[in-house]
Amino acid sequence: MSENETALLERCRAGDRDAFGFVVKKYAGRASGAACLLLGCPHEALDASQEAFVRAWRNIKRFNTSSPFYPWYSAILRNVCRSRLRRRARRRTVALTDGHGDSSSDSDPVLLAERNERRDALWRGVMKLSDPFREIILMKHFHEMSYKGIAAALGIPIGTVMSRLHSARRALRETLAGESS
Amino acid sequence: MSCNEFNRMAGAYLDGELPEEERRRFEEHLASCDACRTELAELKRLTEDLNMMRFKEPGDEELQRYWAGVYNRLERGIGWILLSAGAILTLCYGAFKIVEEMIRDPAISVILKVGVCALIAGLVVLFVSLLRERLVVRKVDRYSREVER
Ligand SMILES: [Zn+2]
């Protein structure tokens, strides 16, 4: 992490909202992309990632400024998205037809950089995976975390990280194979 | 090493996460099995594609709007706190005044006085209980899982 960011985060801790603005803008793209993957659709991605920033600000006093900001924020975002998924699952048992996740625009890779046909197809495939699979793909491939880091963040053994990633990538290959045939 | 075992380890191998000893066994099998070599090549392509994926950086205008969304919520949070505090103070004051007047007024029956007092006491108990529930939920939901990490 740059010295610059440490200084910014110190200012945030002191209550400087402009400094927090810089931090938010720095991570906004990554944050909304991550929320989109965690939620499995782009509808609430912006809103969820913004809510997580608000929570981060309210808890900024508990943040250790000598550690990097994004992993800390990322844990908050994960909780925001998880509770939204839970709420959505509850709603779904009440109203089975809710339209979410059905339309093709739901999986549009609008948050992806340097798009091409292959990458678009890959994104759509990832979006079709189950919640835990999308989560671990996000951590490994977008956040470039090590198995050890993922295990610590999710509170699971490294062996589980390995087998979950294995299953996730296998499921992804099956989805992609089904698509092209 | 069996092909099955090879398969389960292939991802970790490509991610550079296999311990030395397992990697050696993995590579031995790789050298001797054509099917697994093909399989690994395919998985490698997928893994590399996944590694190349990045999230788009929003434009300046988008970023400005994004931050405005966060900022407004920060402000609104303070607004709600002030509003609730003001409302509670006003209501308490009003309730206190009503009770005071009623108790002084001999024309109002004792039953009504007791009734109103019970009503207000009930509201206070319910409010405190709701408040406590919210605070406990917040603590569990927020602090233990997110912040300690
Ligand atoms: Zn083999």
Side-chain angles (χ1 to χ4, degrees):
Chain A
M1 190 183 48
S2 61
E3 229 166 277
N4 206 344
E5 187 173 306
T6 314
L8 267 181
L9 289 163
E10 292 286 0
R11 279 169 56 198
C12 291
R13 272 181 65 112
D16 183 340
R17 287 198 203 174
D18 291 335
F20 191 57
F22 280 110
V23 175
V24 168
K25 285 180 193 168
K26 179 171 177 189
Y27 294 111
R30 221 185 292 184
S32 8
C36 185
L37 273 188
L38 289 171
L39 293 168
C41 73
H43 298 294
E44 296 175 43
L46 212 65
D47 191 66
S49 64
Q50 286 174 324
E51 184 190 332
F53 276 120
V54 171
R55 286 200 195 184
W57 172 257
R58 297 209 174 121
N59 288 293
I60 199 79
K61 286 270 189 305
R62 291 162 170 269
F63 172 67
N64 175 5
T65 47
S66 62
S67 58
F69 176 78
Y70 191 77
W72 183 71
Y73 167 81
S74 183
I76 298 176
L77 179 66
R78 217 164 36 239
N79 281 335
V80 169
C81 291
R82 275 186 185 173
S83 55
R84 284 181 186 224
L85 286 173
R86 271 200 300 274
R87 233 179 295 152
R88 202 191 284 168
R90 268 203 300 272
R91 270 206 309 268
R92 214 170 255 163
T93 51
V94 181
L96 274 169
T97 48
D98 101 321
H100 262 248
D102 294 331
S103 76
S104 61
S105 69
D106 268 2
S107 52
D108 263 359
V110 283
L111 296 169
L112 210 56
E114 296 164 50
R115 287 172 60 179
N116 58 38
E117 226 172 278
R118 249 174 97 73
R119 260 176 219 158
D120 282 10
L122 197 57
W123 173 271
R124 289 205 180 87
V126 171
M127 290 295 270
K128 281 186 189 147
L129 298 176
S130 65
D131 300 343
F133 285 177
R134 287 194 318 272
E135 179 178 66
I136 206 159
I137 293 273
L138 167 73
M139 295 173 109
K140 173 65 204 152
H141 293 291
F142 286 85
H143 292 163
E144 297 167 336
M145 291 167 75
S146 67
Y147 284 17
K148 207 174 144 192
I150 297 173
L154 294 179
I156 55 178
I158 289 195
T160 311
V161 172
M162 182 171 145
S163 59
R164 193 179 293 174
L165 254 178
H166 171 73
S167 312
R169 288 193 277 220
R170 200 177 48 195
L172 181 57
R173 273 172 75 185
E174 275 162 21
T175 309
L176 292 173
E179 209 103 300
S180 59
S181 64
Chain B
M1 179 179 288
S2 68
C3 293
N4 222 330
E5 207 183 337
F6 180 95
N7 230 305
R8 270 191 300 107
M9 289 185 178
Y13 174 76
L14 292 172
D15 292 334
E17 296 268 2
L18 272 193
E20 182 60 38
E21 167 62 18
E22 279 175 332
R23 200 178 67 211
R24 208 183 40 73
R25 283 173 53 226
F26 186 92
E27 281 169 348
E28 268 171 28
H29 183 92
L30 182 65
S32 67
C33 180
D34 280 342
C36 281
R37 236 191 333 269
T38 314
E39 171 69 22
L40 188 70
E42 244 177 79
L43 184 65
K44 189 172 178 206
R45 215 163 93 100
L46 177 77
T47 306
E48 281 172 353
D49 282 347
L50 281 169
N51 282 335
M52 292 296 290
M53 302 243 277
R54 290 283 174 282
F55 292 124
K56 193 181 70 181
E57 269 311 310
D60 284 347
E61 217 175 290
E62 245 175 297
L63 279 180
Q64 204 48 50
R65 235 175 310 141
Y66 188 94
W67 166 236
V70 175
Y71 188 87
N72 287 341
R73 275 191 237 193
L74 296 181
E75 294 242 290
R76 233 172 282 152
I78 296 168
W80 277 116
I81 291 171
L82 285 175
L83 185 76
S84 332
I88 290 167
L89 276 176
T90 313
L91 283 175
C92 285
Y93 183 76
F96 178 74
K97 279 286 161 199
I98 289 170
V99 171
E100 200 185 27
E101 297 237 322
M102 271 181 59
I103 287 172
R104 283 208 192 124
D105 191 344
I108 295 173
S109 77
V110 176
I111 292 179
L112 189 60
K113 285 178 185 172
V114 171
V116 169
C117 285
L119 190 80
I120 289 171
L123 278 176
V124 168
V125 170
L126 281 178
F127 179 76
V128 169
S129 136
L130 267 174
L131 195 73
R132 204 177 44 205
E133 187 187 83
R134 275 209 65 104
L135 287 177
V136 170
V137 168
R138 256 170 75 134
K139 230 178 220 158
V140 172
D141 200 45
R142 193 173 294 178
Y143 300 139
S144 61
R145 289 210 306 265
E146 288 166 2
V147 185
E148 300 304 330
R149 217 159 252 163

